[in-house]
């Protein structure tokens, strides 16, 4: 079968299963199997698809039809100009989190950072990649996620500048009070009551520990905000991702008086997404 016919059949199957952007997904899969970019794919539609790769291509398609996230099937996800390894156990990095990283980079200038709930390591990695002198900590409760973070930091040669900590309790972290320049987090913030409404791709495959933020989605912040107020040095920043207006309002009320709110940022869909505070002296 030629590449073009296989591509058309994949697009049709993905579309009839109700998968968004079927052409994009078919191309991602075929490019990965062929180990070529999209330019090559489009220029070689008349060529025979290598018969030895057909089974792998069909297996990938079947996994996607079963709603497994494409990033897990490919074993990779892009984030800005970074390419990360991902798989079961870690959240697939979302484009919204680029706002969290950009906000952090625009505010933070000195002192070590701490990325709480690092998952694939995407935030810590982005900070270290952008700031060649920076050092920090990445904390994660889930051992399988920590392995992805380790693999990604290793691949980018950043392990020497980042201490990975396997810990679920903030009060168990033995960090000196007033020592951090930045605390950044994309914590689990989906309200428990909304988990059932998530798309199957997310609900069935991504770890609930990465999603479930308890009642109202606010549980993780109840510990994080007061802890950060103590761990940050005066002039340091706390930057968090969250979801929506109700959470923004609740978080602004929750923050201690020693934290001054310095940024409230919406995502491209106009939904409140990132908050930042400065630790007062
Ligand atoms: C929304 S995901 C974010 C992952 C990654 N930082 C990102 O932005 O893609 C939240 C992460 O927090 C981790 N997590 C949940 N509870 C935690 C806890 N008590 N301590 C440390 N990490 C926790 C989850 O395992 C998950 O990896």
């Amino acid at each position: 079968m030629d590449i073009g016919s296989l591509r058309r059949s994949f697009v049709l199957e993905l579309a009839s299963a109700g998968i968004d952007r079927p052409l994009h997904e078919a191309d991602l899969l075929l490019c990965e199997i062929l180990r070529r970019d999209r330019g090559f794919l489009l220029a070689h539609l008349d060529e025979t698809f290598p018969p030895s790769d057909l089974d792998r291509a069909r297996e990938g398609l079947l996994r996607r039809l079963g709603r497994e996230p494409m990033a897990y099937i490919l074993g990779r996800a892009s984030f800005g100009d970074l390419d990360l390894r991902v798989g079961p156990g870690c959240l697939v990095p979302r484009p919204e989190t680029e706002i969290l990283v950009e906000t952090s980079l625009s505010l933070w200038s000195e002192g070590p950072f701490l990325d709480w709930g690092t998952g694939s390591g995407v935030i810590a990695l982005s900070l270290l990649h952008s700031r060649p002198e920076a050092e920090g900590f990445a904390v994660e409760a889930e051992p399988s996620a920590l392995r992805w973070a380790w693999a990604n930091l290793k691949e980018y040669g950043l392990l020497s500048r980042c201490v990975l900590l396997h810990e679920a309790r903030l009060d168990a972290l033995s960090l000196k009070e007033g020592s951090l320049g930045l605390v950044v987090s994309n914590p689990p913030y989906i309200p428990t009551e909304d988990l059932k409404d998530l798309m199957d791709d997310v609900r069935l495959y991504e770890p609930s520990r990465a999603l479930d933020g308890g009642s109202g989605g606010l549980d993780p912040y109840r510990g994080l905000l007061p802890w950060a107020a103590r761990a940050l040095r005066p002039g340091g920043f706390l930057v968090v991702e969250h979801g929506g207006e109700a959470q923004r309002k609740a978080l602004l009320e929750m923050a201690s008086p020693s934290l001054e709110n310095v940024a409230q940022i919406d995502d491209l869909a106009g939904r409140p997404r990132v908050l930042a505070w400065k630790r007062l002296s």
Side-chain angles (χ1 to χ4, degrees):
M1 181 185 282
D2 63 55
I3 295 177
S5 306
L6 189 69
R7 181 178 186 240
R8 269 193 304 281
S9 74
F10 277 25
V11 173
L12 277 176
E13 289 203 54
L14 290 164
S16 33
I19 306 260
D20 278 349
R21 305 172 73 205
L23 184 62
H24 172 72
E25 297 232 348
D27 285 355
L28 279 177
L29 186 57
L30 293 174
C31 288
E32 177 68 19
I33 303 283
L34 292 171
R35 290 169 295 277
R36 299 288 194 162
D37 61 20
R38 194 159 179 267
F40 175 92
L41 191 75
L42 297 182
H44 294 80
L45 294 174
D46 293 340
E47 284 186 17
T48 304
F49 190 85
S52 55
D53 286 335
L54 258 180
D55 282 353
R56 274 181 60 228
R58 288 202 200 287
E59 189 208 319
L61 177 72
L62 284 178
R63 286 170 66 184
R64 187 66 189 112
L65 293 174
R67 295 285 164 176
E68 187 168 344
M70 184 55 89
Y72 283 5
I73 299 169
L74 304 177
R76 294 189 293 106
S78 330
F79 183 84
D81 57 357
L82 300 173
D83 189 45
L84 297 163
R85 292 168 185 243
V86 295
C90 78
L91 188 90
V92 177
R94 305 295 204 265
E96 296 82 49
T97 303
E98 288 184 40
I99 303 169
L100 179 73
V101 170
E102 280 161 17
T103 308
S104 301
L105 287 169
S106 72
L107 294 169
W108 163 64
S109 59
E110 54 185 13
F113 71 84
L114 183 139
D115 168 21
W116 188 74
T118 197
S120 61
V122 57
I123 298 169
L125 200 149
S126 302
L127 297 175
L128 292 165
H129 191 66
S130 301
R131 294 278 167 83
E133 307 301 321
E135 296 185 336
F137 303 87
V139 184
E140 175 55 53
E142 183 57 48
S144 52
L146 209 55
R147 281 197 284 277
W148 291 111
W150 184 87
N152 283 317
L153 289 163
K154 182 167 189 291
E155 187 149 315
Y156 279 85
L158 297 171
L159 276 174
S160 61
R161 292 198 279 131
C162 188
V163 180
L164 278 172
L165 299 167
H166 178 214
E167 183 52 68
R169 285 179 33 234
L170 279 164
D171 58 10
L173 297 174
S174 52
L175 287 173
K176 204 163 141 245
E177 287 204 1
S179 62
L180 297 173
L182 170 72
V183 174
V184 58
S185 183
N186 172 20
Y189 59 73
I190 312 272
T192 306
E193 52 278 21
D194 294 348
L195 290 174
K196 60 178 181 344
D197 303 325
L198 293 174
M199 293 189 332
D200 284 354
D201 315 34
V202 179
R203 190 174 52 81
L204 300 177
Y205 287 95
E206 295 196 270
S208 65
R209 199 174 205 169
L211 304 168
D212 188 352
S215 171
L218 292 168
D219 283 1
Y221 305 98
R222 291 187 215 287
L224 184 63
L225 267 60
W227 180 86
R230 292 191 302 277
L232 284 169
R233 54 172 69 175
F237 294 93
L238 166 64
V239 189
V240 300
E241 186 170 321
H242 68 96
E245 187 58 45
Q247 285 190 356
R248 175 179 283 178
K249 191 163 172 288
L251 292 173
L252 289 170
E253 282 169 16
M254 198 187 288
S256 75
S258 63
L259 293 172
E260 177 194 15
N261 178 244
V262 290
Q264 304 180 16
I265 300 169
D266 296 351
D267 62 23
L268 292 177
R271 190 170 157 83
R273 189 62 71 180
V274 167
L275 284 170
W277 293 268
K278 183 176 185 178
R279 159 86 204 268
L280 301 172
S281 43

